[in-house]
Amino acid sequence: MRRRIAVVGMLAVVGVLASAVPAQAATGVLVVNGVARQNPARGCYPTLSPVIVQNLTDATVDVYSAANCQGTLTRVIAPGMSAATVGFSYFVN
């Protein structure tokens, strides 16, 4: 009986935590090297250098010099801005 209560309790905690974390995505269109993404999810994306970004979302975009959003941060592109820079990955905040 205790084991069943513990399992039910754990499931309840997991359910509360899952519902407490909202899905995050930028609202708008992000164009990177000519490829448009509608409402891109928050996270890291690969790309090829040079990077041309047109940020028509409500989130900032960070461009990194290496893959997997590693290396040097080469550019931060604010919402509504466009930029060209070097980099091999970018992060949608």
Side-chain angles (χ1 to χ4, degrees), residues 34-76:
V35 177
R37 291 181 186 265
Q38 181 72 36
N39 300 328
R42 182 177 194 273
C44 186
Y45 297 86
T47 190
L48 297 174
S49 196
V51 186
I52 301 169
V53 178
Q54 185 178 14
N55 185 3
L56 304 174
T57 71
D58 60 354
T60 58
V61 175
D62 302 333
V63 180
Y64 290 88
S65 63
N68 300 317
C69 296
Q70 300 292 312
T72 305
L73 177 65
T74 61
R75 189 74 181 243
V76 176

Side-chain angles (χ1 to χ4, degrees), residues 9-35:
M10 284 294 251
L11 290 174
V13 169
V14 169
V16 168
L17 290 176
S19 66
V21 179
Q24 295 178 340
T27 302
V29 177
L30 179 65
V31 182
V32 178
N33 291 341
V35 177

